[in-house]
């Protein structure tokens, strides 16, 4: 949730920048995975900008809309 993230914003940006989180130990030169959890350099930049901007909340989406989007994506992915 936003509240959980904002309380740890500086730590989240730090561990993502350092490559400690999210944990992903598979080497990208040998195999690729469908659900690769690595954070891209662009995503790390976005995290750092979010922290530097004071952790703005952004648009709030109702929980039922999020749930429907997740269900739709799972169906599209065949999960």
């Amino acid at each position: 949730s936003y509240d959980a993230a904002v309380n740890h914003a500086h730590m989240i940006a730090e561990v993502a920048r350092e490559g400690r989180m999210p944990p992903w130990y598979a080497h990208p030169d040998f195999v690729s995975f469908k659900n690769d959890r690595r954070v891209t350099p662009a995503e790390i930049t976005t995290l750092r900008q979010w922290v530097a901007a004071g952790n703005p909340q952004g648009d709030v989406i109702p929980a039922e809309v999020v749930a429907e989007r997740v269900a739709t994506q799972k169906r599209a992915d065949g999960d």
Side-chain angles (χ1 to χ4, degrees):
S1 71
Y2 172 78
D3 292 331
V6 78
N7 288 330
H8 303 285
H10 290 280
M11 182 197 60
I12 291 168
E14 175 186 325
V15 297
R17 180 179 45 81
E18 293 175 354
R20 293 188 284 143
M21 292 298 278
W24 186 260
Y25 304 108
H27 197 284
D29 291 344
F30 298 106
V31 67
S32 63
F33 292 89
K34 177 180 176 183
N35 296 316
D36 190 338
R37 294 172 42 189
R38 284 180 291 237
V39 179
T40 67
E43 291 168 330
I44 293 170
T45 297
T46 298
L47 280 170
R48 294 176 72 191
Q49 290 171 340
W50 175 68
V51 172
N55 319 317
Q57 185 169 7
D59 297 332
V60 177
I61 301 172
E64 56 274 2
V65 174
V66 173
E68 179 56 34
R69 289 180 184 176
V70 169
T72 300
Q73 186 61 49
K74 283 185 176 185
R75 286 190 300 271
D77 290 344
D79 290 345

